Amino acid sequence: MSQVVLINPFEVRPGDEAAALAYWDRAAAHLRGAPGFVSTTLHRALRPDARFPLVNVAAWASAEAFQAAVGSPAFRALTGDEAARFPHHPALYAIVRT
Amino acid sequence: MSQVVLINPFEVRPGDEAAALAYWDRAAAHLRGAPGFVSTTLHRALRPDARFPLVNVAAWASAEAFQAAVGSPAFRALTGDEAARFPHHPALYAIVRT
């Protein structure tokens, strides 16, 4: 198991940004306490017409730790109803060039 | 002017990864020498079926510096022919949560 990077681009409709930030804050508050959480950084596009107005980049101790955290019933209960409002494309990555 | 983050998710078809990495290496080698370049980190998805198999996260001294670098005739000549082969969605971001 080696550290992985979660990158999660969010589609956010005009006018939905405050709700998307509140959604992210709730999810992040939960995940910060999960085993294997390392760090998280939320990026907001400078231009509101960006394809992905919000992008989260987070580090986790392992893919298994991340999957366990987001697969937990508590996390699903927290995010389930609103997840569809902000289509997002999470995937885990390794760093290949710096 | 304050530091900005470029996030650039790439769509890469199966079998095209080596060409995409070579394209990125050529572009990065050029941009590293540009005024205002700070750092760059290329991420490769752990799963080959990820929506965005490669994502670049780079820091630039300012939006103006980044736009000047990628708008230069030299950079356009370097990337123009192949840019369409790997659809990508670059945008500039500010960090709003850590």
Side-chain angles (χ1 to χ4, degrees), chain A residues 41-45 53-57, chain B residues 5 7 57 93-96:
Chain A
T41 305
L42 184 65
H43 300 77
R44 178 172 180 263
L54 297 174
V55 181
N56 185 36
V57 179
Chain B
V5 180
I7 302 179
V57 180
Y93 294 82
I95 292 172
V96 290

Side-chain angles (χ1 to χ4, degrees), chain B residues 18 23 39 48-49 56 66 68 76 79 82 84-85 88:
Chain B
Y23 168 84
S39 66
D49 60 349
N56 186 37
F66 171 73
R76 287 170 178 269
T79 59
E82 262 194 305
R85 183 171 173 187
H88 47 292

Side-chain angles (χ1 to χ4, degrees), chain B residues 56-69:
Chain B
N56 186 37
V57 180
W60 283 81
S62 69
E64 294 76 9
F66 171 73
Q67 299 296 356

Side-chain angles (χ1 to χ4, degrees), chain A residues 14-92:
Chain A
D16 257 6
E17 192 191 76
L21 286 170
Y23 168 84
W24 188 87
D25 284 338
R26 276 201 310 283
H30 182 87
L31 294 175
R32 285 178 204 282
F37 172 88
V38 176
S39 65
T40 190
T41 305
L42 184 65
H43 300 77
R44 178 172 180 263
L46 301 189
R47 294 172 54 113
D49 61 348
R51 169 85 175 270
F52 303 111
L54 297 174
V55 181
N56 185 36
V57 179
W60 284 80
S62 69
E64 293 77 7
F66 172 74
Q67 298 296 357
V70 297
S72 75
F75 186 73
R76 286 169 178 271
L78 187 73
T79 60
D81 288 347
E82 262 194 303
R85 182 171 172 187
F86 312 110
H88 46 292
H89 309 280
L92 294 175

